[in-house]
Amino acid sequence: MTAPDPRLEPSQPPRSAWALRGIFLVALVFAVREARPLLAPVLIAVMLTFALAPAVRWLHSRGVPPSIGALLLVLALLLSTVSVASSLARPAASWWQAAPTTVAQLLEQLEKLRAAIPGLSPPQPAARLGRAPATPASDPLKERLATEGVALTGLVLTRGLSFLLAAAATVILTYFLLASEQWLLSRSIEALPRRRTRALLLGGVRAAQRDISHYLAAVGIINAVVGVILALVLWMLGLPNPTLWGFIAALLCFIPYLGPMTLMVLLLLAGIAAFETGPEIFGPTLSFMAIHAVESNIVSPVIVGRRLSLSTVSVFLSVLFWGWLWGIVGALIAVPLLIGLRSVCQRQRGLALLRLFLEGDRRTPTPSLGSLLRGPSKSRSRKRYT
């Protein structure tokens, strides 16, 4: 029996190669997850560099050296962060001091709700005739909450130092990247042999910087306004620490979909702990729902614009993936990383299909399935994938 001619076989990689690629991809994902203490400050610094690099170039065009311009921007960022933290220190301290009382009130209200729902009421001691009353049975939910509260306090205290070290490393690296951004970009372009590749790299970096800076500035302003309005509404409703809740809302709204949902649950728990049983419990949650509905359906589409519009599915999957990898830090940087990936896909013809999935193709109407089965015209296909 003669062996088959290899020239007649289709040129496809063997199954073992695909298996090795899959194993490598899974190992890379878990390696990135374990390397969070090292990679998270680097990615945050790169994201801040992309957002602040246009401002450094603008200062340089006015005669300010890049090192001085980067120092001014980093100092402005630090001063704004310190001013916000100092303004929130007093309500945060008061909330921390009142935390045991607040948790007790919350547990009391939850006990009333549990007693009203069949199957969730706490266990009752069995009655015994002719004997002394037995000690009440322990409630496993209360014991679990008490244990988790102690564990949470220890976790906050132990990770405080690591957070400060990571923040310091992020600030220092951001300054170095901003001060040497022009040098790093020029050396990277110089290392590429082809002129077209150099133009693609420069155009992609500039587009990513422009889009990320525009997105962060627009979303930051919108979230700040949402936080101020929510704080005023909660103050009128009588919820304690409205300023702290406004800051939490401004921070969580940077996380699409999951952030507002988390804030709704937290405001519901705060309403249960602060008010008696009644309609006023749902006041904080309903107020934020109304504010978020106006912001997400009217304000954000107008300010952010269609140029930065992304597919809802891609945004949700990116937030889920990076949130699973790095927690809240990954969820915060998920959308800027997605914007950078879209800038890369816009300049690579082989990634045109991925770009359509990221953008959602909102600029053109979605064709019907019948027209796709009949076959689109060549000119339309060429227009959609270029």
Side-chain angles (χ1 to χ4, degrees):
M1 181 181 295
T2 60
D5 191 355
R7 293 175 297 178
L8 301 178
E9 295 291 331
S11 58
Q12 296 181 356
R15 295 182 179 179
S16 58
W18 289 109
L20 290 176
R21 292 177 184 177
I23 294 174
F24 174 76
L25 182 60
V26 173
L28 180 62
V29 169
F30 281 95
V32 171
R33 185 180 183 183
E34 294 298 326
R36 179 182 59 180
L38 176 63
L39 294 181
V42 175
L43 276 183
I44 295 175
V46 171
M47 183 187 67
L48 292 176
T49 302
F50 272 49
L52 300 177
V56 173
R57 291 198 304 271
W58 182 83
L59 291 175
H60 183 60
S61 64
R62 300 300 188 275
V64 180
S67 58
I68 303 300
L71 181 61
L72 292 176
L73 290 176
V74 171
L75 288 178
L77 184 63
L78 282 177
L79 289 177
S80 60
T81 304
V82 170
S83 61
V84 171
S86 61
S87 62
L88 294 175
R90 181 174 297 178
S94 62
W95 179 86
W96 187 265
Q97 292 178 357
T101 306
T102 304
V103 172
Q105 294 175 356
L106 179 60
L107 290 177
E108 183 179 355
Q109 297 293 339
L110 289 177
E111 285 296 325
K112 295 180 181 179
L113 294 177
R114 289 178 62 195
I117 300 176
L120 295 180
S121 57
Q124 301 293 333
R128 299 183 180 182
L129 297 177
R131 295 183 181 180
T135 57
S138 60
D139 191 353
L141 179 60
K142 285 187 176 181
E143 295 178 357
R144 179 66 180 273
L145 289 175
T147 306
E148 293 294 336
V150 175
L152 178 62
T153 303
L155 184 64
V156 170
L157 294 178
T158 53
R159 292 194 175 182
L161 180 59
S162 61
F163 172 77
L164 292 178
L165 292 176
T170 302
V171 171
I172 296 173
L173 184 58
T174 302
Y175 168 74
F176 286 149
L177 291 178
L178 281 175
S180 58
E181 184 262 346
Q182 186 72 21
W183 180 84
L184 290 173
L185 186 58
S186 61
R187 289 295 178 266
S188 300
I189 294 176
E190 185 181 5
L192 299 176
R194 299 179 58 184
R195 184 177 179 180
R196 175 180 173 80
T197 309
R198 294 180 178 183
L200 288 176
L201 176 61
L202 181 59
V205 171
R206 292 304 186 213
Q209 289 177 348
R210 181 180 64 251
D211 293 345
I212 291 176
S213 60
H214 182 200
Y215 170 79
L216 291 179
V219 174
I221 294 173
I222 293 173
N223 291 348
V225 175
V226 168
V228 171
I229 295 176
L230 181 63
L232 292 176
V233 173
L234 295 181
W235 174 74
M236 290 187 294
L237 292 177
L239 188 70
N241 301 321
T243 306
L244 185 62
W245 283 110
F247 174 77
I248 294 175
L251 182 62
L252 288 180
C253 284
F254 274 100
I255 305 175
Y257 308 117
L258 298 182
M261 293 174 60
T262 304
L263 184 60
M264 291 177 190
V265 176
L266 294 178
L267 288 176
L268 179 60
L269 295 178
I272 293 175
F275 305 110
E276 296 293 334
T277 304
E280 61 271 11
I281 290 178
F282 304 97
T285 302
L286 295 178
S287 301
F288 174 72
M289 290 176 62
I291 296 172
H292 180 66
V294 174
E295 175 267 325
S296 59
N297 294 294
I298 299 177
V299 179
S300 292
V302 174
I303 296 180
V304 177
R306 288 183 173 270
R307 185 167 58 88
L308 292 180
S309 62
L310 294 169
S311 171
T312 55
V313 176
S314 62
V315 172
F316 188 75
L317 291 178
S318 179
V319 172
L320 282 182
F321 176 74
W322 287 102
W324 171 72
L325 278 182
W326 291 352
I328 188 172
V329 176
L332 287 173
I333 65 176
V335 179
L337 290 177
L338 200 63
I339 294 175
L341 178 61
R342 190 192 61 175
S343 299
V344 174
C345 295
Q346 288 175 346
R347 285 157 180 82
Q348 294 290 333
R349 293 183 178 180
L351 300 177
L353 183 60
L354 179 59
R355 175 180 65 85
L356 291 180
F357 280 108
L358 293 180
E359 293 180 347
D361 200 17
R362 300 179 181 179
R363 292 172 295 179
T364 59
T366 304
S368 63
L369 296 178
S371 63
L372 293 177
L373 292 177
R374 288 192 299 269
S377 61
K378 294 182 179 181
S379 60
R380 184 177 180 183
S381 300
R382 190 180 303 110
K383 182 179 179 181
R384 286 174 59 86
Y385 289 97
T386 54

